[in-house]
Amino acid sequence: MDILPPRLSEPAPLQALGALHSRLEAEAEQGDRDGRFPEAGIAALAGIGLLRAPLDGLGTAPEGAAALALALRRIGRASLPLGRLYEGHVNALRLVLRHADAGQRRQAGRDAAAGHLFAVWNTDDTAAPLMLREGVLSGRKILCSGAGHVPRALVTARTAPDAPPQMLLLELQPGERADLSGWTPLGMKASVSGAMDFDGIAVPEASRIGAPGAYATQPDFSAGAWRFAAVQCGGMEAVLEQLLAHHRRTGRGGDPNQAARLGQAAIAVESARLWVEAAAGRAERGAADGAAYTNLARSAVERAALDLLELAQRSVGLQAFMAAHPLQRLCRDLATYLRQPGPDGALAAGAAHLLDAPGPAGEIWA
């Protein structure tokens, strides 16, 4: 079903996004069956201006944070794989805006306006880490969402094993250099997160983005995690929607035990949304505690999502694990997407901020 009509104050791309919901959702269902990359969804986002939008203030200024959070939630609600790809696109453009020179920013804008999807691929194959020597790359990246389909990839490469990583923005030909043999997940199939082989690619100076080590610059590196949490929040909303639909169909929602589960599920989803929106605002206005707050927010969203999955599956019962039931796909996608890197470290970093913060515990975030 389509989501509710947009509020009049929403930017035009967000207003158009609501009308796309059913199409994006249908493509997500098909992608779960055949693992096909969501080309139509990417083209649809480009058509309403969302690929270009991060360069025009969507989420790149404090006043754009709420709009970007809503966009990420809505895309995630329709399709978590598409949300993962779009979040990576936004991340890449944010890094370009922050660290590239004026000419590189202009070119990125032209590419995004032309419908080119960007991605950030940072995870090295430990057996063949990405190296840049004398202007030529060697090595591989793994867990590259959109492998073989993304034409603009921001990657990190080292000039020596102990050197800080250098960001490189590469122009790639779709269908080349991707190895999907290891991508056999239970969920998020259509994100096509395979390995990429970069052996022999010559890298011109114009492809270098920022100084070595700029990729991990704080607070952006940690504070930007609110964006994937927003997509996850959208996936949670989709689970809640299907849970409500199930009980409306079966007439079981009035049972006291089921009503209690529905209430707890609603609390989990709303809690996640509130954490995401607060983290987005702090991060995008450059608050000193933005990274610490986001570290806690991503942990809170993960916990709320895990609680929601248990509530939904317990509430629906065995039907939630049947192929014909919409919940089973949504639960698989959400459970897979929740496995983000470094969850324990993020939680510990948030806790460390609390230990060092002055004043009453109840006013640390005031």
Side-chain angles (χ1 to χ4, degrees):
M1 64 182 71
D2 288 332
I3 59 179
L4 292 175
R7 295 182 291 273
L8 294 179
S9 61
E10 290 177 2
L14 268 71
Q15 295 184 35
L17 184 58
L20 293 175
H21 182 87
S22 293
R23 287 166 51 189
L24 301 182
E25 187 177 49
E27 187 179 37
E29 293 172 358
Q30 181 62 40
D32 182 64
R33 291 191 288 270
D34 58 22
R36 186 178 303 171
F37 181 82
E39 293 181 4
I42 296 297
L45 298 184
I48 62 174
L50 273 177
L51 293 194
R52 167 74 202 193
L55 294 165
D56 295 328
L58 183 68
T60 58
E63 59 271 19
L68 179 57
L70 181 56
L72 291 167
R73 282 173 43 223
R74 285 186 175 173
I75 296 170
R77 192 186 308 165
S79 169
L80 278 174
L82 182 63
R84 166 68 192 99
L85 293 162
Y86 184 67
E87 189 274 326
H89 175 83
V90 174
N91 190 16
L93 292 182
R94 288 296 303 273
L95 289 165
V96 169
L97 283 173
R98 178 73 69 179
H99 300 290
D101 61 34
Q104 291 169 324
R105 293 195 299 271
R106 285 193 297 271
Q107 184 59 54
R110 288 191 290 267
D111 288 347
H116 291 308
L117 182 69
F118 286 63
V120 177
W121 296 336
N122 178 54
T123 306
D124 280 314
D125 182 338
T126 55
L130 196 60
M131 303 296 294
L132 177 65
R133 294 187 176 94
E134 298 182 353
V136 179
L137 287 173
S138 63
R140 287 165 34 110
K141 293 289 185 180
I142 60 172
L143 300 176
C144 302
S145 293
H149 297 273
V150 170
R152 300 291 183 270
L154 192 71
V155 303
T156 51
R158 299 178 188 271
T159 56
D162 57 349
Q166 170 69 55
M167 285 189 289
L168 307 170
L169 184 56
L170 306 179
E171 297 186 11
L172 302 173
Q173 294 300 316
E176 296 183 355
R177 298 181 172 271
D179 176 8
L180 304 179
S181 61
W183 182 241
T184 57
L186 294 179
M188 298 291 288
K189 297 175 185 177
S191 69
V192 191
S193 301
M196 289 291 295
D197 185 339
F198 294 96
D199 280 348
I201 292 181
V203 179
E205 284 295 318
S207 294
R208 295 176 182 243
I209 303 294
Y215 172 75
T217 301
Q218 295 288 15
D220 283 358
F221 182 72
S222 295
W226 75 262
R227 294 188 292 269
F228 71 67
V231 181
Q232 293 168 348
C233 185
M236 293 175 66
E237 292 166 2
V239 170
L240 178 59
E241 185 66 34
Q242 286 299 330
L243 180 58
L244 289 167
H246 175 87
H247 286 305
R248 287 165 182 155
R249 285 194 307 269
T250 61
R252 297 174 59 208
D255 175 87
N257 294 314
Q258 296 291 18
R261 293 188 186 106
L262 285 174
Q264 290 171 331
I267 290 170
V269 173
E270 181 65 0
S271 297
R273 184 186 69 81
L274 292 172
W275 271 103
V276 164
E277 291 186 352
R282 280 186 131 82
E284 299 312 317
R285 69 171 182 266
D289 60 6
Y293 193 91
T294 299
N295 279 328
L296 295 181
R298 59 175 283 193
S299 299
V301 170
E302 180 193 28
R303 183 66 263 165
L306 291 171
D307 290 345
L308 174 67
L309 290 173
E310 180 182 7
L311 287 164
Q313 291 169 338
R314 182 180 290 273
S315 186
V316 173
L318 187 58
Q319 287 299 310
F321 296 87
M322 296 296 174
H325 201 288
L327 262 178
Q328 59 83 24
R329 173 182 64 83
L330 295 173
C331 290
R332 283 188 288 104
D333 280 350
L334 182 56
T336 301
Y337 193 32
L338 288 175
R339 294 306 104 224
Q340 293 292 326
D344 298 324
L347 187 58
H353 177 85
L354 298 177
L355 289 170
D356 293 338
E363 299 178 14
I364 288 175
W365 310 110

